[in-house]
Amino acid sequence: MQPKRYNLFSEHLKQHFGGRAHKISVDAGFGCPNRGGGRGGAGCLFCDPGGSGAVGIERALSVAAQIEAGKEVMRRKYKASRFLAYFQPFSNTAAPPEQLRALYDGALGVEDVVGLCVGTRPDCCPPQVLDLLADYHRRTYFWLELGLQSVHDPTLDYLRRGHDYRCFLEAYEQAVARGLRVCVHVILGLPGEDRARMLATADEMARLGVAGIKIHLLHVLAGTPLGALYEQGEVAVLEQEAYVRLAADFIERLHPRTLIQRLTGDGPRDLLLAPLWSLNKWEVLNAIDGELERRGTRQGGRCRALAG
Ligand code: SF4
């Protein structure tokens, strides 16, 4: 395989662990403050009833049993032997620290689990929770994953995120001050955002020097408020060629050290309304590689934080 023109997370994991490590998504039963603290409220415009697109999770099982089931699948598919427990759907810090500790310890206690990834919202990161996460950072391999989507407040309002950019920045800075690795989630193709706005998000991520990023394509799922708007013709999605160009632009502007954990979106096949081309994930990833190759550029090639 040709070396990537961007800083691929899976390569970092190989170097860190001396071999591949695979993420296993788990649902620990958390709710979300943006859904009234549970799972039933309206939430973000794009959020599906499963808590933002988590697929393949056996929700009825305990956390340890979910991980064991995931291990079996990964072993068969990839001969995998090391695993990261990824607390993915909903807001996985929305509980008192002692409850969080019991859940995280339960995951770390499963054989061959070598680290944790915890996804949450910026407004679910009070100091006592960040202190707890910092403790995990000291004793295991740990990532905090923070949903942001865009640095622009009008977009966050439109998405009904229930927090603004300042809220994200405060949580991010307090996490980084504790030494945590933070992976930020952003979305390209959001309603009301043109290329300049999307790339301003990239520039801001470069200024912050984020340790990791997940770049999602806006995809529309059935059963979401966004899905209803899409069916009424009020929301459009990107064509593949436009997404590939934008993703390449975004990558060029990131800091070269930032680890890219995701470069497209792959919503659940049975819920995906649009864009259907996103189901061909490898085609999209190959097209982004091809675009960077054609430009003769790479991650950080247009990083303003380095230029300035
Ligand atoms: S913060 Fe996450 S879980 Fe909560 S409503 Fe938004 S996308 Fe869904």
Side-chain angles (χ1 to χ4, degrees):
M1 194 174 74
Q2 264 205 327
K4 295 285 183 194
R5 289 174 175 262
Y6 52 87
N7 210 1
L8 195 59
F9 181 55
S10 56
E11 286 302 315
H12 153 80
L13 290 177
K14 266 191 214 162
Q15 283 172 19
H16 185 88
F17 291 109
R20 294 183 71 172
H22 298 258
K23 269 179 154 178
I24 296 175
S25 293
V26 294
D27 182 344
F30 290 98
C32 172
N34 210 29
R35 285 175 168 267
R39 295 187 165 192
C44 302
L45 208 64
F46 52 83
C47 186
D48 68 285
S52 201
V55 284
I57 301 179
E58 293 279 354
R59 295 171 195 273
L61 301 177
S62 70
V63 166
Q66 288 177 44
I67 296 172
E68 291 293 359
K71 279 167 58 177
E72 275 316 300
V73 174
M74 298 285 184
R75 283 204 165 109
R76 273 201 307 275
K77 259 181 151 171
Y78 308 113
K79 296 189 173 33
S81 60
R82 295 179 198 83
F83 306 94
L84 303 173
Y86 177 24
F87 288 78
Q88 183 183 10
F90 298 95
S91 300
N92 294 280
T93 57
E98 57 279 13
Q99 200 177 321
L100 297 176
R101 188 184 287 281
L103 285 165
Y104 302 159
D105 282 351
L108 274 179
V110 177
E111 196 177 0
D112 299 327
V113 170
V114 294
L116 291 179
C117 307
V118 172
T120 195
R121 291 168 52 82
D123 58 359
C124 276
C125 299
Q128 62 274 29
V129 165
L130 290 176
D131 288 343
L132 177 77
L133 302 184
D135 184 43
Y136 283 95
H137 174 70
R138 283 188 289 273
R139 58 193 177 92
T140 189
Y141 180 81
F142 185 87
W143 281 89
L144 172 64
E145 301 203 14
L146 277 184
L148 169 64
Q149 322 316 344
S150 165
V151 299
H152 304 289
D153 284 342
T155 306
L156 299 180
D157 280 348
Y158 178 82
L159 294 175
R160 304 185 204 153
R161 285 288 296 170
H163 67 79
D164 58 13
Y165 183 59
R166 177 183 287 271
C167 171
F168 163 83
L169 210 48
E170 282 171 11
Y172 174 83
E173 285 172 351
Q174 287 183 28
V176 169
R178 288 166 171 80
L180 288 164
R181 292 188 186 93
V182 181
C183 175
V184 184
H185 295 205
V186 299
I187 300 177
L188 298 184
L190 289 168
E193 294 215 341
D194 58 9
R195 178 176 177 274
R197 284 197 157 232
M198 292 182 238
L199 297 187
T201 294
D203 289 338
E204 179 64 359
M205 294 302 102
R207 183 187 74 79
L208 295 176
V210 296
I213 195 161
K214 283 187 176 173
I215 304 168
H216 291 88
L217 154 76
L218 180 70
H219 57 254
V220 184
L221 300 180
T224 65
L226 187 67
L229 290 172
Y230 176 77
E231 283 175 330
Q232 289 157 19
E234 290 185 29
V235 164
V237 293
L238 291 169
E239 296 297 333
Q240 181 170 327
E241 296 72 26
Y243 181 72
V244 166
R245 284 195 300 275
L246 276 168
D249 291 342
F250 201 97
I251 290 167
E252 286 174 349
R253 279 164 172 80
L254 289 175
H255 194 286
R257 274 200 308 272
T258 297
L259 292 164
I260 297 183
Q261 296 205 15
R262 179 177 276 277
L263 250 186
T264 181
D266 51 351
R269 192 171 279 267
D270 52 334
L271 293 181
L272 184 69
L273 295 179
L276 295 178
W277 56 261
S278 66
L279 292 170
N280 301 321
K281 184 173 154 189
W282 288 106
E283 188 181 306
V284 179
L285 294 176
N286 289 338
I288 294 170
D289 288 346
E291 178 67 13
L292 291 168
E293 182 83 28
R294 187 186 67 74
R295 296 182 188 185
T297 186
R298 59 183 305 110
Q299 181 179 340
R302 290 175 188 262
C303 175
R304 293 195 173 165
L306 290 181

